[in-house]
Amino acid sequence: MEPSPHPPWHHLPAAEAAPLLGSDPEHGLDAAEAARRLASFGPNRLTPLKGRGPLLRLLLQFHQPLIYLLLASSAITAALQEWVDASVILGVVLVNAAIGFIQESKAESAIAALSKIVATSARVLRGGKKTSMASEQLVPGDVVLLAEGDKVPADLRLIHCRELRINESTLTGESLPVSKHVTPLAHNTLLADRANMAYAGSLVSSGHGSGMVVATGNATETGRISRLMEQADTFSTPLTRKIEWFSKILLYLILALAAFTFVIGLARGESAFDMFMAAVALSVGAIPEGLPAAVTITLAIGVSRMARRRAIIRKLPAVETLGSTTVICSDKTGTLTQNQMTVQRIFSGAQDFSASGTGYAPHGEIAPALTPAARECLLAGLLCNDAGLEHRNGAWHVSGDPTEGALIVAAMKAGLEPEGSHAAHPRLDAVPFESRHQYMATLNAGRIYLKGAVEKVLERCTAMFGPDGNPMPLDHAEITQAADRMAGQGLRVLAFASKPATSGQDALTHGDLASGMIFLGLQGMMDPPRPEAVRAVKACQRAGIAVKMITGDHAVTAAAIARQVGLLPPGLLHDARSGILTGRELAALDDAGLALAAGHTHVFARVEPEQKLRLVRALQANGEAVAMTGDGVNDAPALKQADIGIAMGIAGTEVAREASAMVLTDDNFASIEAAVEEGRGVFDNLTKFIVWTLPTNFGEGLVITAAIVAGVALPILPVQILWINMTTAVLLGLMLSFEPIEKNIMRRPPRAPSSPLLTPVLMGRIAIVSALLLGGAFWLFLWELGHGASIEYARTVAANVFVFGEMFYLFNCRSMSASMFTLGVFSNRWLVAGVAAMTLLQLLFTYLPAMNEWFRTAPIGMDSWGRIMAVSLGIYVAIGTEKWLRSKK
């Protein structure tokens, strides 16, 4: 029979779920029914999405307004048999397309990575017999057996559990393994709290159990995340949006100016052919051919710099996006924290102790000096423990439960060595942890040790150790208050007790633990924040970037970490106005309410995958440029939706990495701050290039127009324009990509995503330089003609005015506000080398006979060079003066 429609599976008792699934928990499905369901439901795998093919990715490289105009110019000049011009223009377009295609050659394969998560084997009960099969063969109603180390093959409603604990961090964000049970839960229980369910892709940490398959393939929670990723928009970056807008405006201006020139020429009686060639020359001159390549290469240099700072860029425009980021939404575990549980507080013998040091390295101290009671409490944590601690490859690693690993480290800080302690107190028997009892106990050579939840341990105690290690009356209220203080700081609290074993006892039962225990103390632990993350958060806040924590962990734990890293002020309570919201509270908000809450809330706890996606969209709707970090499957949709998704390289899943634009090789928030700094530097250098190159293009276009209006010969030819544009772009403009990051860059507020690429000040500067180039080139062209020079001589002078005017202006563009002397004349050695190379090429352009023939130039005299240098120096002085005057306002 087919599974029936049902309420949420976690809300149903297992006995009621089985008939709805058409299953028998004791025998499973028979082979014939399983085969029929497989044909009906399909295999247990995710349906992959079709990505863009290589041909489409290549063609999309040409999908830019300026590229269209360049292609049209190339085709027209080829039709007119101007082969050199046509070849150069087409070569520029093809080189730029090749660079972009190579950078984007990796197809988006997040859904394929999700499929790998589901692809595993499973042990199943079929027809009353246990059998192993590929997880793809599972169908709803199958009974799956789980054991330690297994990957859960499908979504299951658990029907049997014994000490079953499952690591669901990649799905829910919960940092610790979750203890499972079979008891029905409330209808509105959040995904992360559904302890009677096991979800596809999660890992069994300990224990064993079984469950009925309730969903396979696309119907699983992992499949639901896959569909969320399909819904996530692939946002264009602030740079690509601005370049696209800028290109369209530039295209309209160029076409309007070319049409104006064509019409004016016809009105003056010029031939249509000559005016058409003039319009083509104007268009080629006004288009910044080097801009697409300059953007790509500048971003690639940023990629290289970021790689040295532990950030790998997967999608090129993401480099600049970091520089415009206004909000960073960070995961907690492993990014802001070390992902290593650490004991920080100890309460024993009515006294508080603190433990220094972080992580699994057993380095640190416990203060004040240990009392006999505190030492016995730490010994209990070491002996009543199934984990191990080892040093390999230069780092300390825990095998087993991270909580138990933290207890071993705390004991070692007190001078208790694991090997020696276990040799002195050999274990004879143990009662393993079970969720229904919430404790673990061991029998160690004459003494029983108990570890567990505070209330479960206290109810078995009749006395407590005093500071001197002697029993004293149990102060239940004081112990409860100490536990509450620790919990209020976001610590996970465990209680410890012991009592002497009976003479000759070699076995341990729950009856031995029912009463008579002596309370030893409490240990409070947490995954501590990274010290460098605290500094990085402060640096981001100084730079005007809001940092928000979005985690699947509990609100109290999240708030404690948030206070320590500086996201929340001390003492802030948990309510809707405090800057902390839970997933349940978010679910109650409509889109307008969420947009409002997203702006002022600092911490989002117990958040589910689709809520992360909603949060990112809400922030983007508020006009924010959002960077989102994550490592789990549950983070993938939000990573893809964000302006820049940042995945963890060490702890991150393949799904998260494939959905991201950037991967951190050290999983460290501090690397994000470094990447933001580099991103701002990249945008600065791109802006410098654009502000530098546009005056040349505008000046070249205007000088053509001026010549047509004045009724004189063209001062520069199309082939000369192409020479100027391409050689200066490579040897001069691209050298700005190597400009060092300016010192105050992380003390500026972030650029508003809606701000234009060029500010009014920069547009005014472009206009000034364009006018100076137009005036200088046109004046010297006419001056040379008026003094008897040939047309080739005069055009050579005009071309050199543009080249050396650009060269002097290049030094102005090294900073938008400071002079080159403030920066250091030789601080960018690449730029100095580029200037030298460009000077040499321009001398060849002017004096080499072959180049005179190709480019229709002629050698010029020293007096002409003097006039060229005077115009060029005038441009440098004019812009230097303008910057100086602005600095005085």
Side-chain angles (χ1 to χ4, degrees):
M1 61 177 287
E2 296 285 345
S4 304
H6 58 83
W9 293 110
H10 62 271
H11 182 57
L12 288 175
E16 293 182 19
L20 291 174
L21 287 166
S23 180
D24 183 344
E26 301 301 324
H27 294 85
L29 301 175
D30 60 43
E33 176 63 16
R36 194 180 68 78
R37 293 191 183 189
L38 184 62
S40 175
F41 290 99
N44 176 35
R45 60 169 178 256
L46 299 179
T47 305
L49 290 180
K50 289 185 178 180
R52 290 172 175 171
L55 180 60
L56 179 58
R57 293 202 310 276
L58 179 61
L59 292 176
L60 286 173
Q61 304 305 317
F62 300 95
H63 185 49
Q64 302 175 43
L66 293 181
I67 297 297
Y68 291 153
L69 190 54
L70 284 173
L71 287 172
S73 299
S74 178
I76 292 169
T77 50
L80 297 172
Q81 298 186 355
E82 298 287 343
W83 302 115
V84 174
D85 296 17
S87 299
V88 172
I89 298 171
L90 183 61
V92 170
V93 173
L94 293 178
V95 168
N96 179 68
I99 293 171
F101 178 76
I102 291 169
Q103 292 293 340
E104 296 178 10
S105 60
K106 284 189 176 181
E108 294 182 2
S109 53
I111 304 300
L114 279 166
S115 299
K116 293 176 186 176
I117 285 186
V118 179
T120 183
S121 60
R123 293 183 304 125
V124 185
L125 196 62
R126 284 270 177 96
K129 296 180 180 179
K130 296 177 182 178
T131 183
S132 293
M133 64 178 62
S135 66
E136 288 190 358
Q137 302 298 311
L138 292 178
V139 295
D142 263 327
V143 176
V144 175
L145 309 177
L146 299 175
E148 183 174 338
D150 287 349
K151 182 179 283 187
V152 179
D155 286 2
L156 310 177
R157 172 58 168 95
L158 296 172
I159 55 178
H160 168 71
C161 295
R162 182 169 177 79
E163 307 160 31
L164 182 65
R165 305 183 75 202
I166 297 180
N167 185 335
E168 298 176 338
S169 59
T170 62
L171 185 66
T172 66
E174 175 68 62
S175 55
L176 294 172
V178 178
S179 296
K180 294 295 183 177
H181 58 73
V182 299
T183 307
L185 297 169
H187 188 283
N188 62 349
T189 303
L190 296 175
L191 177 69
D193 297 323
R194 295 173 190 171
N196 58 9
M197 300 288 294
Y199 293 107
S202 56
L203 295 169
V204 178
S205 299
S206 60
H208 56 86
S210 62
M212 293 178 292
V213 175
V214 298
T216 59
N218 292 339
T220 62
E221 286 297 323
T222 301
R224 186 170 62 86
I225 292 172
S226 163
R227 294 193 298 276
L228 286 175
M229 289 185 66
E230 295 175 37
Q231 297 167 16
D233 301 318
T234 303
F235 261 62
S236 57
T237 69
L239 177 68
T240 55
R241 292 195 294 268
K242 289 172 184 175
I243 291 289
E244 182 179 355
W245 176 87
F246 172 73
S247 298
K248 288 179 180 177
I249 296 299
L250 191 58
L251 177 62
Y252 299 147
L253 288 175
I254 291 169
L255 292 176
L257 191 58
F260 173 76
T261 301
F262 184 79
V263 171
I264 291 293
L266 290 180
R268 292 185 60 87
E270 302 289 344
S271 72
F273 177 82
D274 289 341
M275 289 305 93
F276 184 78
M277 287 304 297
V280 169
L282 187 152
S283 299
V284 171
I287 295 172
E289 291 93 346
L291 180 58
V295 170
T296 302
I297 292 170
T298 303
L299 293 176
I301 292 170
V303 167
S304 176
R305 286 178 171 177
M306 288 185 182
R308 292 195 290 270
R309 301 183 76 171
R310 302 184 184 278
I312 304 299
I313 299 297
R314 295 184 64 251
K315 298 175 183 176
L316 209 55
V319 180
E320 183 277 332
T321 308
L322 278 164
S324 60
T325 297
T326 58
V327 176
I328 298 175
C329 297
S330 177
D331 193 18
K332 175 183 70 68
T333 306
T335 308
L336 292 170
T337 68
Q338 300 185 34
N339 201 19
Q340 295 184 345
M341 294 295 287
T342 306
V343 172
Q344 295 188 334
R345 297 285 184 271
I346 302 162
F347 174 81
S348 183
Q351 188 174 352
D352 289 312
F353 300 84
S354 62
S356 64
T358 58
Y360 294 143
H363 309 309
E365 297 179 350
I366 297 176
L370 282 177
T371 62
R375 187 176 182 83
E376 189 68 16
C377 177
L378 292 168
L379 179 63
L382 177 61
L383 298 176
C384 190
N385 198 312
D386 288 329
L389 183 68
E390 58 180 335
H391 189 267
R392 65 175 187 273
N393 300 325
W396 290 89
H397 300 272
V398 165
S399 57
D401 190 293
T403 299
E404 293 192 321
L407 298 175
I408 297 174
V409 174
M412 292 177 70
K413 290 176 182 177
L416 299 171
E417 288 298 325
E419 290 186 8
S421 298
H422 283 293
H425 308 276
R427 181 186 295 190
L428 302 179
D429 197 12
V431 172
F433 177 88
E434 291 185 55
S435 56
R436 58 177 174 157
H437 294 125
Q438 297 184 43
Y439 62 72
M440 171 188 176
T442 59
L443 173 61
N444 296 77
R447 196 159 192 90
I448 297 170
Y449 290 98
L450 177 69
K451 170 190 72 182
V454 176
E455 62 276 12
K456 296 297 182 182
V457 172
L458 277 180
E459 67 187 22
R460 288 164 170 75
C461 293
T462 55
M464 60 183 281
F465 269 9
D468 57 2
N470 292 317
M472 60 181 287
L474 184 70
D475 191 334
H476 194 286
E478 184 179 18
I479 294 169
T480 302
Q481 289 173 5
D484 290 343
R485 282 198 306 273
M486 290 185 184
Q489 297 170 5
L491 301 178
R492 184 185 184 192
V493 185
L494 290 177
F496 300 85
S498 71
K499 73 174 183 180
T502 59
S503 178
Q505 183 177 355
D506 59 2
L508 191 61
T509 66
H510 288 288
D512 297 321
L513 310 171
S515 63
M517 303 297 297
I518 302 173
F519 179 79
L520 300 178
L522 306 171
Q523 294 191 49
M525 66 196 72
M526 77 183 321
D527 178 14
R530 295 175 181 264
E532 62 272 27
V534 177
R535 295 190 293 271
V537 167
K538 288 181 180 177
C540 287
Q541 291 170 336
R542 279 198 306 269
I545 301 169
V547 181
K548 299 177 184 293
M549 180 193 294
I550 303 179
T551 179
D553 218 335
H554 294 279
V556 173
T557 306
I561 293 296
R563 291 188 187 98
Q564 292 183 51
V565 300
L567 298 184
L568 291 176
L572 203 59
L573 299 175
H574 168 53
D575 60 52
R577 298 165 302 282
S578 68
I580 310 171
L581 284 176
T582 66
R584 192 183 298 278
E585 292 163 338
L586 288 177
L589 297 175
D590 59 16
D591 289 345
L594 180 61
L596 183 63
H600 64 70
T601 303
H602 308 289
V603 178
F604 301 90
R606 223 63 180 149
V607 174
E608 298 194 2
E610 63 270 23
Q611 291 176 327
K612 292 187 178 185
L613 189 58
R614 281 190 72 205
L615 279 169
V616 172
R617 284 175 171 163
L619 289 166
Q620 289 171 331
N622 288 343
E624 306 286 2
V626 182
M628 171 77 188
T629 77
D631 57 5
V633 175
N634 60 325
D635 298 318
L639 287 173
K640 188 176 180 183
Q641 175 73 33
D643 293 277
I644 176 166
I646 304 171
M648 304 299 110
I650 299 174
T653 61
E654 182 66 18
V655 178
R657 288 194 290 270
E658 291 296 334
S660 68
M662 185 174 91
V663 178
L664 302 182
T665 60
D666 59 355
D667 291 11
N668 195 333
F669 186 88
S671 297
I672 302 175
E673 184 259 336
V676 168
E677 183 180 32
E678 290 290 350
R680 289 188 172 192
V682 164
F683 188 86
D684 268 11
N685 291 346
L686 280 174
T687 302
K688 292 169 187 176
F689 177 87
I690 293 169
V691 171
W692 170 82
T693 194
L694 287 185
T696 303
N697 299 114
F698 289 162
E700 289 167 344
L702 290 171
V703 83
I704 300 292
T705 303
I708 300 300
V709 171
V712 301
L714 297 183
I716 47 177
L717 298 173
V719 70
Q720 294 170 346
I721 289 172
L722 286 169
W723 165 266
I724 295 168
N725 289 356
M726 294 313 301
T727 55
T728 57
V730 173
L731 294 176
L732 299 181
L734 282 181
M735 299 305 109
L736 291 170
S737 302
F738 297 96
E739 274 297 315
I741 294 172
E742 296 187 33
K743 293 180 180 179
N744 66 340
I745 201 164
M746 286 301 283
R747 294 188 179 275
R748 307 178 197 162
R751 300 183 319 277
S754 58
S755 65
L757 187 63
L758 298 175
T759 64
V761 170
L762 297 181
M763 291 176 68
R765 190 172 297 172
I766 290 169
I768 291 171
V769 178
S770 299
L772 290 173
L773 285 171
L774 165 64
F778 201 64
W779 168 62
L780 287 184
F781 173 74
L782 294 177
W783 195 93
E784 298 292 351
L785 287 178
H787 286 74
S790 67
I791 188 72
E792 289 81 11
Y793 188 107
R795 282 172 173 164
T796 304
V797 170
N800 277 299
V801 168
F802 277 102
V803 171
F804 285 93
E806 282 188 271
M807 191 181 293
F808 277 74
Y809 178 50
L810 181 72
F811 290 99
N812 293 118
C813 293
R814 292 188 59 197
S815 171
M816 294 295 99
S817 56
S819 75
M820 68 171 179
F821 300 105
T822 302
L823 301 175
V825 177
F826 299 103
S827 58
N828 184 348
R829 297 184 184 276
W830 286 95
L831 186 140
V832 175
V835 166
M838 188 67 236
T839 301
L840 177 61
L841 273 185
Q842 204 58 23
L843 291 175
L844 295 175
F845 173 85
T846 305
Y847 294 107
L848 189 68
M851 298 190 80
N852 292 155
E853 183 178 349
W854 294 339
F855 293 101
R856 303 169 205 171
T857 58
I860 60 176
M862 291 303 296
D863 56 335
S864 297
W865 280 116
R867 288 185 287 274
I868 291 168
M869 292 304 161
V871 171
S872 302
L873 182 62
I875 292 172
Y876 175 81
V877 171
I879 299 305
T881 303
E882 181 257 347
K883 287 199 288 188
W884 179 77
L885 291 173
R886 289 193 181 280
S887 70
K888 297 301 180 182
K889 290 183 180 180

